[in-house]
Each structure stands twice: as C-alpha cells, then as structure tokens.
Amino acid sequence: MREPTQTNSTEPTATGGDTNRRTFLTGAAIAGAAAAAGPALAQNRGQSSGSDAPMTAQAASFPEPPYPAQQQPWPGLAQRMNPRPDHGEEHYRGTGRLRGKRALITGGDSGIGRAAAIAFLKEGADVAIAYLPVEEPDARDVARIAEREGRRFAAFPGDLRDKAYTTSLPDRTIRELGGLDILVNNAAYQQWVPGLEQLSDEQFDQTMKTNLYAMFWLTKAALPHLRPGSSIINTSSEVAATAPEGLIDYSMTKAGILTFTKSMAKQLASRGIRVNAVAPGPIWTPLQVSGGQPTDQLPQFGSSTPIGRAGQPVELAPLYVALADPALSYSTGQVFGATGGDPQPGI
Ligand code: NAD
Ligand code: MG
C-alpha cells in the first residue's frame, strides 16, 4: 500500500488503473493482493497456526485495572492509548467465514469497529471504513492490515453528521468493493457530563446526529443495495438499560438503536436481511479516554463487572463475525451482550 499523502480529503484519488491491484491516496480503496489470490492468501493465514488456542488463555493476558490515568482530546486515537487496545491485529484468527462478502463499518478506525473490520478482513471479507479525518493515523493502521491480508479496502474520512457524506457511503463502497452485504452502524459520540444543567444543546445535537440520524440516513441509503443474506449490525450498549446518570443523551440514543434494530428486523425479515445489535459493556477504546468517562474513574474502568476488567475490542470481534455470517440465519431483531458479566439490555 502506498501511504496516504493528505489527511483531509474525502474523495479517493486513483493512481493506478489495474482493477485487481489499485492503489489510492487518502480516502482510498486499497485492493491489496489480486482479488483472485486474496481469499486464498487470507484463508491460508487463517488456518496457519494456533486456531486451537483457547480464547480463555488469551483473555488471561488482557490488561487489568488499575489502568494508567490518561486523557485525550475527542475523538482520541487508539495509537495514543496506554495500554494500546487489542483489536485482534495479531491474535484474531479467521477461518474464511465471510469470504466474498463486502462490509461497510462506521467508526472502523478504532475500538470495536476496528476489531470488527480486522476480523472481517481475516475472515475473507473486503471492507470499507468510515471515520473522522482527524483519525487518519488509526485508519492507516487498519489499511496496513487489509494489505497484509490481501483484501480490498476502502477508507472514507468524513463527518457522519453531514447527510450528503453519509448517504454517499453505500454507493462509494459498491464502487470500490463491488457490492455491499454487511452494514455495521457503529460510530458514536459519548461525553460524560455531571448533570442536565451541563448538557448543552450542542452536545445533545451532536449525540443525536452521530448516533441516531447517521444510522437512519445510512441504513436508508444502503437498503436498495442489500440482497437476501445481507446483515445489518448496530452497536448499542448496556447503558440502554443501565442509563448512567452522566450519560443521559448517549444512553437515550443507545436505547433508540435497540428499538430501531427491532423495527428494522421486522421490516426486512421477508427480504432475507437480518438486523441485530451488539450491546457492549465497558470496552477499552478511545471513546472512553476522550470524554466518555470521568477521567478520575478511568483507572478502575470495568472493575465492577463480574469479570473485573475492561473488555478489549478483539473480544467482541467474534460476535460481529457471527452476526455478519449468513449461517446465523434464524437470528434477527436480537441484541447480543458482551458486558463482562453485567446484565444485558432486554429485548
Ligand atoms: P471509538 O472511539 O474507537 O469508536 C467510535 C468511532 O465513532 C470513532 O472512531 C469515530 O470514527 C466515530 N465517530 C464519532 N463521531 C463521528 C462523526 N461525527 N463522524 C464520523 N465518525 C464519527 O470507540 P468505541 O468504544 O469502539 O465505539 C464504538 C461503538 O461502541 C459506539 O457505538 C459506542 O457507543 C459503542 N460502545 C462502546 C462501549 C465502550 O465501553 N467503549 C460500550 C458500549 C458501547
Ligand atoms: Mg477512532
């Protein structure tokens, strides 16, 4: 892959014409190895070694509280976190479950969306990610993994509060990847405020636009392209039920995402399109170190769960893969928890 040379462009610039191996600048589609060779390459890697390594052995090595105190300006970068989140860069092993699929993931540069992106790539899918331009350094890390896996990859920097940008994403994904089978509505805005008096109209608006409007716009724009067997996965949260006092606006949206998931599942069942939600608990991601939690509580993040630590993004990747896999054909309108043992929101 050629490194992007600009950081703010939202339009890909083709620098080569070969359809099997094209390289683009920023906002680019990266067709890594030849399309024909790609799946075999990814598959071989997936089966090469260690697929019998139990998840529990890996989980035993995940960082435990207390975590180092830290803070970043929103939206934060995974690169700058200490310890660095585990998105499955090294440990996730694919088995070709998503070979031939094309996925669009919002917030795919970091955290849970990045873990889903990496797992999808390692399962043989081609992937497009959407993220904010300022997150380009994290997005480049995902592009490098796509190249290593020999998958097609497209990167679309932009602001999901911009309807024109958001509604353009399905078409752009199809242009770069040749189709769209999996939509992951994952991007979100979360800022902790101590009371309603501190919750500004601006924050309320940003939370609603990012978490609800963008999901609505993007799902609507994607629908004409989705075929039987397609899957929509929305990232909700346990806070849809627990409603922490400092996350009123955010929790409202996470409950709304569950309701949207259930309604859409009913609408789309007859079209063979499944719609499900994942409800994470406390996960070690940039969102939490850039205003999502009170800074003084971060060292103990996740310690109140039965598992007793924050989850790592890679621990959610198998859920996203399972929901994307058409083999999970009788599950729609469901919410799947990954909460470290906390109760998950009912549905
Ligand atoms: P993250 O910061 O890694 O991901 C959030 C992403 O949202 C960012 O990377 C950014 O690309 C995107 N985003 C935010 N505002 C945007 C905008 N205006 N335009 C474009 N993109 C924008 O954090 P994460 O924790 O992985 O978050 C992913 C999802 O997981 C979110 O839906 C979040 O609500 C959910 N979640 C996280 C936790 C947790 O503890 N980390 C818990 C429950 C649910
Ligand atoms: Mg990010």
Side-chain angles (χ1 to χ4, degrees), residues 1 4 30 121 129 138-149 151 153 155:
M1 169 203 167
I30 295 135
L121 289 162
I129 64 169
D138 276 351
R140 286 186 200 178
D141 287 342
V142 186
R144 276 189 275 272
I145 290 166
E147 188 179 37
R148 193 176 79 190
E149 295 298 319
R151 305 307 323 161
F153 179 77

Side-chain angles (χ1 to χ4, degrees), residues 76 109-110 135 138 286:
D109 59 297
S110 61
E135 298 174 302
D138 276 351

Side-chain angles (χ1 to χ4, degrees), residues 216-241:
F216 160 61
W217 290 329
L218 186 52
T219 305
K220 196 169 170 181
L223 272 188
H225 306 290
L226 298 177
R227 301 281 166 257
S230 294
S231 171
I232 300 173
I233 307 168
N234 301 321
T235 306
S236 177
S237 169
E238 64 175 357
V239 305

Side-chain angles (χ1 to χ4, degrees), residues 235-274:
T235 306
S236 177
S237 169
E238 64 175 357
V239 305
T242 59
E245 70 273 20
L247 295 176
I248 290 177
D249 51 333
Y250 175 79
S251 302
M252 288 167 65
T253 66
K254 293 293 153 177
I257 290 167
L258 286 190
T259 310
F260 183 77
T261 301
K262 288 190 280 183
S263 284
M264 288 309 303
K266 287 179 183 151
Q267 260 189 41
L268 298 180
S270 61
R271 288 158 67 171
I273 301 166
R274 295 172 303 110

Side-chain angles (χ1 to χ4, degrees), residues 68-341:
Q70 60 203 283
Q71 191 173 15
Q72 292 187 43
W74 179 83
L77 287 176
Q79 283 187 0
R80 296 206 189 127
M81 288 179 68
N82 176 27
R84 288 269 209 107
D86 185 340
H87 307 94
E89 287 86 348
E90 304 306 327
H91 295 120
Y92 187 91
R93 291 182 176 86
T95 56
R97 284 178 75 175
L98 301 179
R99 202 175 311 131
K101 302 289 182 202
R102 287 81 40 113
L104 169 61
I105 305 172
T106 64
D109 59 297
S110 61
I112 295 163
R114 169 157 158 183
I118 291 172
F120 287 5
L121 289 162
K122 292 189 177 189
E123 295 288 357
D126 295 331
V127 172
I129 64 169
Y131 54 95
L132 288 158
V134 69
E135 298 174 302
E136 191 69 38
D138 276 351
R140 286 186 200 178
D141 287 342
V142 186
R144 276 189 275 272
I145 290 166
E147 188 179 37
R148 193 176 79 190
E149 295 298 319
R151 305 307 323 161
R152 281 180 181 271
F153 179 77
F156 302 133
D159 192 325
L160 288 165
R161 291 172 294 167
D162 173 353
K163 183 177 178 182
Y165 160 77
T166 301
T167 55
S168 75
L169 291 172
D171 272 343
R172 294 169 70 186
T173 302
I174 289 159
R175 256 199 323 271
E176 302 298 352
L177 305 184
L180 178 61
D181 310 288
I182 303 160
L183 171 63
V184 183
N185 287 304
N186 169 76
Y189 185 61
Q190 171 185 331
Q191 290 290 301
W192 181 281
V193 290
L196 199 67
E197 293 86 350
Q198 288 82 36
L199 179 54
S200 66
D201 284 4
E202 290 71 27
Q203 172 172 331
F204 191 83
D205 188 67
Q206 183 160 354
T207 309
M208 297 298 147
K209 285 271 160 48
T210 310
N211 303 7
L212 290 177
Y213 275 75
M215 175 181 66
F216 160 61
W217 290 329
L218 186 52
T219 305
K220 196 169 170 181
L223 272 188
H225 306 290
L226 298 177
R227 301 281 166 257
S230 294
S231 171
I232 300 173
I233 307 168
N234 301 321
T235 306
S236 177
S237 169
E238 64 175 357
V239 305
T242 59
E245 70 273 20
L247 295 176
I248 290 177
D249 51 333
Y250 175 79
S251 302
M252 288 167 65
T253 66
K254 293 293 153 177
I257 290 167
L258 286 190
T259 310
F260 183 77
T261 301
K262 288 190 280 183
S263 284
M264 288 309 303
K266 287 179 183 151
Q267 260 189 41
L268 298 180
S270 61
R271 288 158 67 171
I273 301 166
R274 295 172 303 110
V275 190
N276 291 291
V278 174
I283 312 300
W284 188 246
T285 70
L287 172 136
Q288 300 294 7
V289 303
S290 59
Q293 292 294 314
T295 314
D296 61 342
Q297 290 176 27
L298 255 186
Q300 292 307 321
F301 188 55
S303 59
S304 66
T305 65
I307 286 182
R309 61 169 174 81
Q312 291 295 319
V314 65
E315 297 181 271
L316 281 76
L319 261 184
Y320 285 83
V321 170
L323 293 171
D325 185 344
L328 202 73
S329 47
Y330 203 55
S331 293
T332 193
Q334 308 297 308
V335 55
F336 294 81
T339 61

